[in-house]
C-alpha cells in the first residue's frame, strides 16, 4: 500500500530536549516536505527536499533541521524545542510537477512544555 | 501576501444538501495547480480533487466538483448530497512552478458540520 509513515503520532516533551520525528515513504517520490498546522493558519511549509542530499528552507524553517540521506526517509529534527513549536506536523511526498497529488503522513501532534 | 483565501466561517449543512466552499487564489503565473484536501477530526489529510490552470473543464470526482472561474481566480469546491462523514475541515491549496519547490500553499480552511 502506498503510504507516508510518520512517527510518533503524539509526543509531549520539555523545552530544550532534542527530538526527531521520522518520515518514510514507499512510493519512490523525489520530493518530500514538512508542514506545520496551527489553528487559523492552515498548513505552512517548514523544509523541503527535491531529492537525496538536496534540502532547502520553506516558509517557517527557524528552529528545525532536516536531512535526506536516503530517498525514502526525511526526518524532522528539533535541536532545542520551544513551546512555540507546539503544533501538528505533517510530512508529505509527491512526484515533481504541478499536477501531482501530495501524499500526507498521519500527522504528529507535538506538545512542548 | 496570502496566496489562498478561505474566509467562510464554520458551516452547518443539512444531510443530503449540497454545500459550496469558497476559495480564491492569487498568482501571476499562467501555469498552476489547485487542490482540495479534507481533514476529518482524526487529523489525516485526504486528497479530494485537482484542477489545472489550463484545464477547460471543471474537475469532478464523485460527489466533489470544482467550480473553476479562472478570470475571477476562484476555485470553489461543491459537495453534493452531503453525508455525515463529510463533517471535516476543508483546505484549498495551490501549487505554482517555483524552481525546485513542489510546495503547496494552503488556505486557512473551512469547517463543515453536516447535521442529520
Amino acid at each position: 500500500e502506498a503510504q507516508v509513515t510518520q512517527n510518533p503520532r503524539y509526543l509531549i516533551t520539555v523545552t530544550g530536549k532534542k527530538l526527531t520525528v521520522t518520515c518514510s515513504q514507499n512510493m519512490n517520490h523525489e520530493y518530500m516536505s514538512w508542514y506545520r498546522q496551527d489553528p487559523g493558519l492552515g498548513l505552512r511549509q517548514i523544509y523541503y527536499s527535491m531529492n537525496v542530499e538536496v534540502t532547502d528552507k520553506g516558509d517557517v524553517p527557524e528552529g528545525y533541521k532536516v536531512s535526506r540521506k536516503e530517498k525514502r526517509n526525511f526526518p524532522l529534527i528539533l535541536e532545542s524545542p520551544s513551546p512555540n513549536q507546539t503544533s501538528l506536523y505533517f510530512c508529505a511526498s509527491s512526484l515533481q510537477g504541478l499536477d501531482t497529488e501530495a501524499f500526507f503522513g498521519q500527522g504528529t501532534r507535538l506538545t512542548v512544555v | 501576501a496570502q496566496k489562498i483565501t478561505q474566509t467562510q466561517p464554520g458551516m452547518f449543512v443539512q444531510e443530503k444538501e449540497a454545500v459550496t466552499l469558497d476559495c480564491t487564489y492569487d498568482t501571476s503565473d499562467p501555469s498552476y495547480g489547485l487542490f482540495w484536501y479534507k481533514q476529518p477530526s482524526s487529523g489525516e489529510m485526504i486528497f479530494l480533487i485537482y484542477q489545472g490552470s489550463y484545464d477547460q473543464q471543471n474537475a469532478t470526482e464523485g460527489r466533489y466538483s470544482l467550480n473553476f472561474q479562472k478570470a475571477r481566480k476562484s476555485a470553489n469546491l461543491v459537495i453534493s448530497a452531503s453525508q455525515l462523514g463529510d463533517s471535516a475541515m476543508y483546505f484549498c491549496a495551490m501549487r505554482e512552478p517555483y524552481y525546485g519547490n513542489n510546495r503547496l500553499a494552503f488556505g486557512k480552511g473551512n469547517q463543515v458540520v453536516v447535521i442529520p
Side-chain angles (χ1 to χ4, degrees), chain A residues 28-64:
Chain A
N28 204 34
H29 288 162
E30 303 95 357
Y31 184 86
M32 298 185 74
S33 60
W34 278 99
Y35 294 85
R36 62 177 287 174
Q37 182 183 1
D38 301 290
L41 295 178
L43 281 78
R44 295 175 293 168
Q45 191 187 52
I46 303 170
Y47 265 94
Y48 68 94
S49 170
M50 292 169 58
N51 215 323
V52 176
E53 302 292 0
V54 182
T55 64
D56 208 344
K57 296 176 181 178
D59 298 317
V60 288
E62 293 77 21
Y64 304 95

Side-chain angles (χ1 to χ4, degrees), chain B residues 36-104:
Chain B
W36 277 91
Y37 281 83
K38 171 184 178 182
Q39 186 180 43
S41 58
S42 50
E44 70 269 30
M45 296 290 287
I46 302 167
F47 166 73
L48 294 179
I49 196 166
Y50 165 80
Q51 178 85 44
S53 59
Y54 292 115
D55 293 343
Q56 298 293 319
Q57 308 252 16
N58 285 342
T60 61
E61 287 286 349
R63 294 187 298 111
Y64 304 107
S65 60
L66 204 152
N67 183 359
F68 181 46
Q69 299 186 44
K70 194 170 181 177
R72 296 182 57 197
K73 295 188 176 178
S74 165
N76 298 341
L77 177 71
V78 180
I79 306 173
S80 62
S82 298
Q83 302 172 355
L84 296 178
D86 293 333
S87 294
M89 184 74 84
Y90 290 83
F91 290 96
C92 179
M94 177 174 65
R95 184 180 279 141
E96 299 169 283
Y98 293 119
Y99 176 73
N101 190 353
N102 229 26
R103 182 188 72 170
L104 284 168

Side-chain angles (χ1 to χ4, degrees), chain A residues 69-90:
Chain A
K69 293 184 170 54
E70 306 163 283
K71 197 171 188 178
R72 61 185 293 122
N73 295 325
F74 190 46
L76 179 70
I77 303 155
L78 284 72
E79 294 269 1
S80 183
S82 62
N84 65 11
Q85 292 178 298
T86 292
S87 188
L88 178 59
Y89 291 86
F90 287 100

